[in-house]
Amino acid sequence: MSSIIIAVMLKYGYMADLLANLNGAQKRAVVHDQGPLLIVAGAGTGKTSVITSKIAWLVMEKGIAPDDILALTFTEQAAAEMEERVDRMLPLGYADLWISTFHSFAERILKEHALDIGLPQDYKLLNTTQQWLLVKKNLDKFNLNYFRPLGNPTKFIHALLKLFSRAKDENISAAEYLEFAESLKQDKSGGFIRNELTDADLKNLTSEKQTELANEEAAKQQEIADAFAVYQRLLLENNALDFGDLINYTLKLFQARPGILFKYQNKFKYILVDEFQDVNWAQYELIKILAAPKNNLTVVGDDDQSIYAFRGSSISNIMHFKDDYPASSEIYLIDNYRSSQGILDLSYNFIQRNNPDRLEIKLQGADKLSKKLISHSEASADIRHLHGKTINDEVELVVNTIIERYNSNKENNWSDFAILVRSNMAADDFCRALELAQVPHIFLASRGLYHKPVILNILNWFRVLDDYHESSAFYRVLNFPFWAIDERDVVNLNYWSYRKGWSLYEVARNNAELQNISDSAREKLKIILGLIDRQTKEAKANKKPSQILTEFLNASGYLKLLAGTDSLANRDDLNCLNQFYRKMADFEKDNAGQNLSDFMQLMELELEAGETGALSVSQEDIGPDMVKIMTIHGSKGLEFKYVFIANMVDKKFPSIGKSDPIELPSALAKEIMPTGDIHLAEERRLFYVAMTRAKEGLYFSSAEDYGGARAKKLSRFLTELSEDGFKLAENALVESLPIGKTAKQDRNNKVKMDTGGYKKSQTQTQFSFTQLKAYENCPYQYRFSHVLRIQVTGKPQFTFGKTMHAVMQKFFLLARAKSGLGQTDLFEAGKPAAEIAWEEVRQLYIDSFIDDWYPDQKTKDEYYERGLISLKNFFSDWQAKKHLADKVEFGFTYKLNGGCALRGAIDRIDICGDGIKLVDYKTGSPKAKLTADDKEQLLIYQMAAQDILKQKVSELAFYYFDNNSEISFLGKDSELEKLREKIIATADEINTGNFPAKPEKERCRWCDFKNICDFAV
């Protein structure tokens, strides 16, 4: 059978299966081809399935290249899930997909075209805390009077930054704000004040008072506008952008450079936007300009699930879309595949209290829209109110109900349960109770890294290095678990500190003079003090903070303790350490030459600014079977069999509405503002989202006493539910078992515990070449590096390699840009490259040089000169040919048989006759002869390029910087097939979850983990 016939059968058989799983409305949405499409998708109606199926349909049915489709969504989590689903649907390999958040998309565009709009290519992206620090450091440049409180001169910073962000969400520039402020000064009639105040307010004001208020408001807005302009200037002076700038500068790029806009309009044949109700005004403007003129734009949204107004999202988007695209097609998804009908009916009746600002009302016409969801679940709904006298009673009721439901059905898993809280602070009580009951659980917080015990330990160790006599920090150090100092010895050390008036450090240093200290503690104090002395000297010698951290973790035994046992707690600690390590590495990258003291000053400033540290949790960190505790915002897009919505009392949920400290003037706002109580409507949508996460069980919990002086009233939302027939609990604690009693029974009542042991949450389907080689070298090493993700001490050769790769990428992009070619253009054979001066190349090298992990200045200088010489030799040769790379850093996902895929990036692809040449850069010296293992990486690239690019690979080449030489070869079909089988077999071994050690003298000698490995030779 010919390959063409097989391909046709695969295509149409695959498409039939794809569409067979969809209902009528979903199918119409997937096969909609040309023009704009609005999909109104209720909760649980399979909107993500529609988007991912549509991408697969466009690729398989319409022949659109996967990287010619742009899919945008709101969160990194949603983008990752969408990409994972598309990967599973596409039977073939593909180049890197354009599936991302708006901000990631804009950053990707600006990284390539920053120079086209006058931005630095190496700009830094500032988070909220970094913005606060930038303003604080430059307070003298802000001419502030109105917004400078007497008691705290920095208190206004967050308020101003929030306003600037809000303005950027509406695509309002500093120049526009200045123009608006000037117009207020020129308006002597006080028209602005009359527009801002109600008629009742105006009646009570004399014309003189109105003029006085108008003048005051004009001065206030002028101060804001000036501050906005100063802030924007500071960003550019510091080569920095904030998140709002990413969208606005990308929009400005497209508006100012029609050639670049045309390139991306031509590239993206179809654009799909998920969570459209959460898109802000500036993001919507970006979508519209990019989709034109074809307007093959599909947007999916639900106004009832718009819960991010605090981030600038606009529920008016859908109404704007209908105005902007009056001929757009509309499809409504109301078939729910998640929840029982009882849950859907209760939720629907509740959310109608947001009328008349709901889409269902606004779109009434000839074809009346009904958003009442129809359940396709046969399960009955269990909807209950759990009410206690105190918060402890409430928590006890929730935990015991979880255990009761878990025991009632052998099919239930702990992961079927979720506790949803309105704020992070409300989660602590539930976490402690679940821990006491021995129920496996995880709190999925997005903030709070600096409050994690392992990070508090590190910060206090650093504080001791910075100041020996900080007794509170030294006290925590003495209690580190890996020292195992007896609690009685710590108590006695504290006693002597108080008795003698010494710092705790001085007491430890002079412990030989003191009584009642055990010999064991004295020996351990000797080790601790020796490590403090050594690391203090290193800190004063300006050793990098990340190096000090790595050495402390190894020398103290902390890392060995955490890596030795595969428990959920240890994995969480290691994950937090990895994230903190990355923060330190970012600090070092942005602040060359600064030391541990400088880093700790930054940390203290961040804590002063209210920063708690961002937290990210991967699916592997979550584990396969745990109760999830999370905020309602964090639950968006998720579903659970049983959902508990906690703290349903007045002022907790709905929360107290707070207006912005500095509000954006309505005259500048561009979105359509809803009527009524905006905060209450948003809280009601949030409650609707929480309810519609549940499949079968929905439980509301509350209590009378949360520690305040007065008893708490029930949430008005519960009262509203009762108006729809929902029965509230009596104001008395329902009889329940003490926490933990049920959980400790064996599972005749079916409690299954998962308190330790590494267990993969799902089969891994994608691998990198680095992962495969690490497992092949030693599976236990793979466990340290890719399962536990333990950071290792960097090596100069790796840092140098990153530098050379970066400068080569920038060089070929520069060459293409000067020749009028873009990264995504087709290669134009014979088109000459523009002249590039050596000084430009040298500057690329200076900008790209990574100043990390060099043991001393001499070594760093040697590497620097070596790279400069190599680059000059390369450039001399290049000038003779001036060849233009067809692609650089070409990312791909290559699918093999057996459900295994490889992800990677090819350094460079050149046109070579009637085929292509794949080049991989090497910083070492060339070998006399390449072994089969040496060739593997390029052989993988050969398979991937042939499959994805559909071009003949004519040559594979390793380019060696050391002597400006190449070694070329080409893989035979037999070699490729043998390698394919080897990769599939290795992937299967990895997915067993077993990582046996392969100790061997030379292998262990060079292993990064030899100091914490129990099997090292």
Side-chain angles (χ1 to χ4, degrees):
M1 188 179 291
S2 74
S3 59
I4 295 177
I5 295 175
I6 293 173
V8 171
M9 289 176 65
L10 172 65
K11 170 184 171 181
Y12 289 104
Y14 176 79
M15 291 311 303
D17 289 342
L18 175 68
L19 297 177
N21 296 325
L22 305 175
N23 64 38
Q26 290 173 330
K27 284 180 185 175
R28 291 196 303 275
V30 168
V31 302
H32 173 87
D33 188 5
Q34 300 295 314
L37 170 65
L38 168 64
I39 303 173
V40 180
T45 57
K47 65 179 179 61
T48 304
S49 295
V50 168
I51 294 174
T52 52
S53 297
K54 189 173 184 69
I55 293 173
W57 182 81
L58 288 170
V59 173
M60 299 299 296
E61 178 68 21
K62 302 296 293 181
I64 306 298
D67 58 328
D68 284 349
I69 301 168
L70 174 63
L72 297 170
T73 188
F74 192 65
T75 66
E76 294 289 354
Q77 177 184 329
E81 180 189 351
M82 193 184 299
E83 185 170 351
E84 185 179 331
R85 287 204 198 184
V86 171
D87 176 72
R88 289 199 300 264
M89 287 182 171
L90 294 179
L92 306 174
Y94 50 86
D96 271 355
L97 298 168
W98 287 78
I99 298 178
S100 69
T101 64
F102 278 87
H103 290 108
S104 295
F105 166 73
E107 186 172 20
R108 187 170 175 179
I109 297 295
L110 287 180
K111 283 294 184 184
E112 186 164 341
H113 298 288
L115 295 177
D116 294 295
I117 200 173
L119 294 174
Q121 252 187 329
D122 59 340
Y123 67 80
K124 300 186 291 286
L125 185 59
L126 304 189
N127 60 30
T128 305
T129 302
Q130 290 168 326
Q131 293 169 252
W132 185 91
L133 291 171
L134 178 67
V135 174
K136 185 179 188 299
K137 191 168 68 174
N138 293 278
L139 271 179
D140 58 315
K141 296 183 173 65
F142 290 84
N143 184 21
L144 294 167
N145 179 39
Y146 190 96
F147 291 107
R148 187 187 288 272
L150 296 177
N152 182 354
T154 63
K155 190 176 181 180
F156 68 91
I157 296 178
H158 280 305
L160 279 176
L161 289 173
K162 189 171 184 179
L163 176 69
F164 300 159
S165 175
R166 181 78 181 84
K168 291 178 183 183
D169 288 340
E170 299 261 338
N171 193 29
I172 299 165
S173 67
E176 288 177 273
Y177 213 123
L178 284 167
E179 187 178 328
F180 165 72
E182 182 62 30
S183 71
L184 293 186
K185 283 200 299 186
Q186 300 302 322
D187 179 15
K188 304 301 182 183
S189 65
F192 174 75
I193 283 294
R194 286 197 296 277
N195 288 334
E196 295 292 310
L197 298 178
T198 65
D199 292 338
D201 290 332
L202 289 171
K203 284 181 182 179
N204 297 321
L205 295 175
T206 64
S207 58
E208 291 80 6
K209 190 63 177 178
Q210 290 183 33
T211 301
E212 180 186 342
L213 290 176
N215 290 337
E216 181 182 343
E217 186 63 29
K220 172 184 168 183
Q221 293 300 331
Q222 184 66 55
E223 186 169 303
I224 293 172
D226 291 340
F228 194 4
V230 170
Y231 171 69
Q232 287 302 111
R233 187 172 69 248
L234 284 172
L235 286 173
L236 292 176
E237 287 174 355
N238 287 271
N239 283 356
L241 304 180
D242 63 25
F243 280 96
D245 287 331
L246 289 176
I247 304 297
N248 293 357
Y249 277 123
T250 304
L251 185 56
K252 184 178 178 181
L253 170 74
F254 288 154
Q255 291 168 336
R257 299 289 182 262
I260 294 174
L261 172 62
F262 175 77
K263 166 185 168 179
Y264 286 103
Q265 286 176 330
N266 188 57
K267 173 176 178 53
F268 297 125
K269 310 297 189 295
Y270 290 85
I271 299 176
L272 301 92
V273 182
D274 192 12
E275 304 289 7
F276 185 57
Q277 77 280 351
D278 291 328
V279 172
N280 64 42
W281 181 274
Q283 291 165 342
Y284 183 37
E285 290 295 300
L286 182 61
I287 298 167
K288 286 193 294 185
I289 194 172
L290 201 54
K294 299 183 293 292
N295 293 326
N296 291 331
L297 173 62
T298 297
V299 300
V300 187
D302 178 13
D303 61 308
D304 289 334
Q305 297 186 75
S306 178
I307 60 173
Y308 291 106
F310 67 92
R311 293 181 184 171
S313 70
S314 170
I315 61 172
S316 63
N317 285 338
I318 296 176
M319 298 305 298
H320 282 302
F321 187 87
K322 291 182 66 63
D323 292 337
D324 294 330
Y325 305 101
S328 64
S329 300
E330 297 171 11
I331 294 174
Y332 306 107
L333 304 182
I334 59 172
D335 290 282
N336 179 284
Y337 297 92
R338 174 189 299 159
S339 305
S340 303
Q341 191 65 53
I343 293 173
L344 296 180
D345 290 344
L346 189 70
S347 305
Y348 178 71
N349 292 335
F350 170 80
I351 198 60
Q352 288 188 90
R353 289 174 172 80
N354 270 358
N355 292 341
D357 286 315
R358 294 177 58 248
L359 195 63
E360 191 173 27
I361 303 302
K362 290 183 175 294
L363 292 186
Q364 282 185 353
D367 299 319
K368 183 178 178 182
L369 165 64
S370 173
K371 294 184 64 184
K372 184 176 174 62
L373 300 178
I374 301 169
S375 175
H376 286 253
S377 168
E378 296 180 359
S380 60
D382 182 24
I383 309 175
R384 280 190 266 162
H385 175 211
L386 309 174
H387 183 71
K389 286 288 186 185
T390 67
I391 176 61
N392 290 335
D393 294 335
E394 177 188 351
V395 170
E396 184 174 320
L397 281 166
V398 169
V399 172
N400 281 316
T401 302
I402 289 174
I403 295 168
E404 170 198 326
R405 293 312 310 249
Y406 178 81
N407 285 334
S408 68
N409 187 337
K410 293 181 181 181
E411 300 301 317
N412 284 341
N413 296 298
W414 294 121
S415 56
D416 290 329
F417 298 88
I419 300 172
L420 306 185
V421 293
R422 181 62 184 85
S423 66
N424 284 327
M425 290 178 61
D428 292 343
D429 293 315
F430 294 96
C431 291
R432 282 193 294 268
L434 289 168
E435 186 173 354
L436 178 63
Q438 298 178 26
V439 173
H441 64 280
I442 186 169
F443 176 35
L444 300 176
S446 59
R447 314 294 303 175
L449 177 65
Y450 303 158
H451 294 165
K452 290 284 188 176
V454 66
I455 303 305
L456 287 172
N457 287 347
I458 298 302
L459 289 174
N460 279 284
W461 176 258
F462 286 166
R463 287 186 179 109
V464 168
L465 298 185
D466 201 40
D467 179 4
Y468 296 154
H469 302 293
E470 188 169 328
S471 289
S472 60
F474 196 75
Y475 175 81
R476 189 175 183 100
V477 166
L478 292 177
N479 283 283
F480 285 174
F482 43 90
W483 307 132
I485 297 177
D486 191 284
E487 184 180 355
R488 288 168 296 184
D489 288 309
V490 177
V491 170
N492 287 330
L493 289 168
N494 265 319
Y495 165 77
W496 287 115
S497 174
Y498 175 77
R499 173 84 177 268
K500 290 185 173 290
W502 295 350
S503 70
L504 198 53
Y505 171 82
E506 289 175 299
V507 169
R509 179 66 74 184
N510 297 287
N511 71 84
E513 305 172 15
L514 307 175
Q515 298 175 356
N516 301 324
I517 308 296
S518 70
D519 291 341
S520 171
R522 295 187 200 277
E523 286 301 313
K524 289 168 182 174
L525 286 172
K526 188 184 298 182
I527 295 170
I528 295 170
L529 294 169
L531 186 55
I532 289 173
D533 290 344
R534 187 166 79 248
Q535 288 222 290
T536 300
K537 290 176 184 176
E538 291 171 344
K540 289 180 178 177
N542 292 333
K543 199 162 194 175
K544 290 181 182 295
S546 60
Q547 290 176 285
I548 293 174
L549 171 62
T550 302
E551 290 170 8
F552 165 70
L553 292 172
N554 280 291
S556 66
Y558 203 172
L559 190 58
K560 187 170 185 176
L561 175 73
L562 295 176
T565 305
D566 283 323
S567 70
L568 295 173
N570 284 359
R571 285 170 64 79
D572 182 55
D573 283 347
L574 285 169
N575 179 45
C576 292
L577 276 175
N578 289 336
Q579 293 182 59
F580 191 67
Y581 180 91
R582 289 195 293 272
K583 176 183 177 55
M584 300 181 80
D586 289 341
F587 166 80
E588 291 161 7
K589 179 181 176 183
D590 296 336
N591 302 276
Q594 295 200 326
N595 57 22
L596 181 63
S597 180
D598 299 314
F599 176 75
M600 288 306 294
Q601 285 180 31
L602 171 67
M603 285 302 307
E604 298 303 336
L605 282 171
E606 286 199 17
L607 294 170
E608 179 191 341
E611 178 60 60
T612 59
L615 265 174
S616 62
V617 184
S618 70
Q619 189 61 39
E620 286 198 353
D621 297 320
I622 292 172
D625 195 20
M626 288 188 279
V627 175
K628 310 300 189 297
I629 308 167
M630 65 184 74
T631 64
I632 301 172
H633 283 98
S635 74
K636 180 73 181 297
L638 303 178
E639 58 183 37
F640 302 92
K641 196 172 182 179
Y642 307 103
V643 168
F644 294 77
I645 307 176
N647 301 162
M648 291 297 301
V649 293
D650 184 43
K651 295 184 175 60
K652 286 186 178 288
F653 198 13
S655 64
I656 301 172
K658 294 180 181 178
S659 59
D660 290 338
I662 309 174
E663 293 190 347
L664 184 74
S666 57
L668 281 172
K670 297 172 183 176
E671 67 171 292
I672 302 171
M673 299 302 294
T675 58
D677 189 327
I678 296 174
H679 172 74
L680 181 60
E682 169 116 349
E683 290 287 290
R684 198 172 272 124
R685 290 192 296 272
L686 190 60
F687 188 51
Y688 175 81
V689 165
M691 287 193 288
T692 53
R693 300 309 95 195
K695 296 179 180 179
E696 297 178 19
L698 178 59
Y699 307 92
F700 312 103
S701 71
S702 59
E704 295 177 16
D705 181 3
Y706 286 84
R710 297 182 181 179
K712 284 285 187 181
K713 296 178 182 178
L714 289 182
S715 164
R716 66 176 290 168
F717 291 166
L718 287 181
T719 304
E720 291 173 0
L721 291 182
S722 70
E723 293 169 359
D724 296 327
F726 174 66
K727 182 174 173 55
L728 298 177
E730 299 295 328
N731 290 334
L733 174 64
V734 178
E735 185 178 349
S736 61
L737 294 168
I739 289 176
K741 182 173 180 180
T742 308
K744 291 179 182 176
Q745 296 175 4
D746 62 45
R747 196 137 142 159
N748 291 323
N749 292 326
K750 278 332 229 189
V751 170
K752 64 181 180 185
M753 306 308 297
D754 182 15
T755 55
Y758 175 68
K759 196 186 276 186
K760 292 182 74 64
S761 56
Q762 57 186 1
T763 300
Q764 184 175 347
T765 57
Q766 294 188 352
F767 301 86
S768 68
F769 176 74
T770 302
Q771 287 177 310
L772 296 172
K773 295 305 289 184
Y775 186 88
E776 184 182 335
N777 185 53
C778 175
Y780 205 62
Q781 180 196 66
Y782 175 93
R783 170 185 173 271
F784 284 128
S785 185
H786 298 287
V787 176
L788 301 180
R789 299 190 294 278
I790 293 173
Q791 300 291 338
V792 299
T793 303
K795 295 180 174 62
Q797 57 267 36
F798 294 154
T799 298
F800 180 65
K802 287 181 180 179
T803 294
M804 298 306 290
H805 276 73
V807 74
M808 292 296 279
Q809 179 185 7
K810 291 177 182 177
F811 171 79
F812 279 104
L813 285 177
L814 177 66
R816 290 179 64 78
K818 287 206 167 191
S819 303
L821 297 173
Q823 167 81 337
T824 57
D825 293 320
L826 295 176
F827 185 80
E828 297 180 27
K831 184 164 185 175
E835 290 298 324
I836 299 177
W838 162 245
E839 192 52 42
E840 291 179 273
V841 183
R842 181 174 173 276
Q843 190 59 48
L844 288 179
Y845 181 70
I846 293 171
D847 294 339
S848 302
F849 191 80
I850 302 170
D851 185 17
D852 276 341
W853 300 112
Y854 294 104
D856 49 55
Q857 187 65 39
K858 180 175 181 293
T859 304
K860 185 173 74 172
D861 291 344
E862 288 172 352
Y863 270 100
Y864 183 88
E865 288 303 318
R866 174 181 159 191
L868 202 59
I869 292 168
S870 296
L871 193 59
K872 192 155 194 174
N873 291 335
F874 159 80
F875 183 63
S876 297
D877 280 1
W878 181 86
Q879 282 185 306
K881 304 172 186 175
K882 292 188 177 176
H883 70 278
L884 297 172
D886 185 34
K887 293 177 175 64
V888 294
E889 292 298 321
F890 175 74
F892 65 83
T893 299
Y894 173 53
K895 295 196 170 184
L896 298 90
N897 296 329
C900 170
L902 293 175
R903 298 202 73 167
I906 303 172
D907 290 343
R908 196 176 86 224
I909 302 177
D910 296 341
I911 297 297
C912 182
D914 61 348
I916 54 176
K917 173 182 175 181
L918 312 182
V919 181
D920 190 69
Y921 303 131
K922 297 293 181 186
T923 52
S925 301
K927 293 184 176 181
K929 184 178 181 181
L930 296 177
T931 65
D933 283 351
D934 294 331
K935 295 179 180 180
E936 280 186 355
Q937 186 170 6
L938 275 176
L939 292 178
I940 289 172
Y941 292 171
Q942 180 180 344
M943 291 190 288
Q946 287 174 166
D947 180 65
I948 296 167
L949 297 175
K950 310 300 181 189
Q951 291 177 277
K952 182 179 76 174
V953 177
S954 304
E955 186 180 350
L956 306 174
F958 286 118
Y959 174 81
Y960 294 90
F961 288 106
D962 269 10
N963 62 354
N964 190 30
S965 67
E966 282 188 357
I967 295 181
S968 300
F969 59 96
L970 189 65
K972 299 175 183 177
D973 290 343
S974 58
E975 289 179 283
L976 301 182
E977 187 56 35
K978 184 178 179 181
L979 178 57
R980 183 194 308 271
E981 292 172 358
K982 177 183 175 183
I983 291 169
I984 293 172
T986 303
D988 289 342
E989 287 182 37
I990 291 174
N991 276 319
T992 64
N994 296 317
F995 307 108
K998 289 169 60 175
E1000 188 270 324
K1001 187 174 181 180
E1002 279 304 301
R1003 181 184 292 126
C1004 293
R1005 178 185 177 190
W1006 301 108
C1007 179
D1008 291 317
F1009 307 104
K1010 60 180 179 289
N1011 293 328
I1012 61 172
C1013 178
D1014 291 326
F1015 305 99
V1017 177

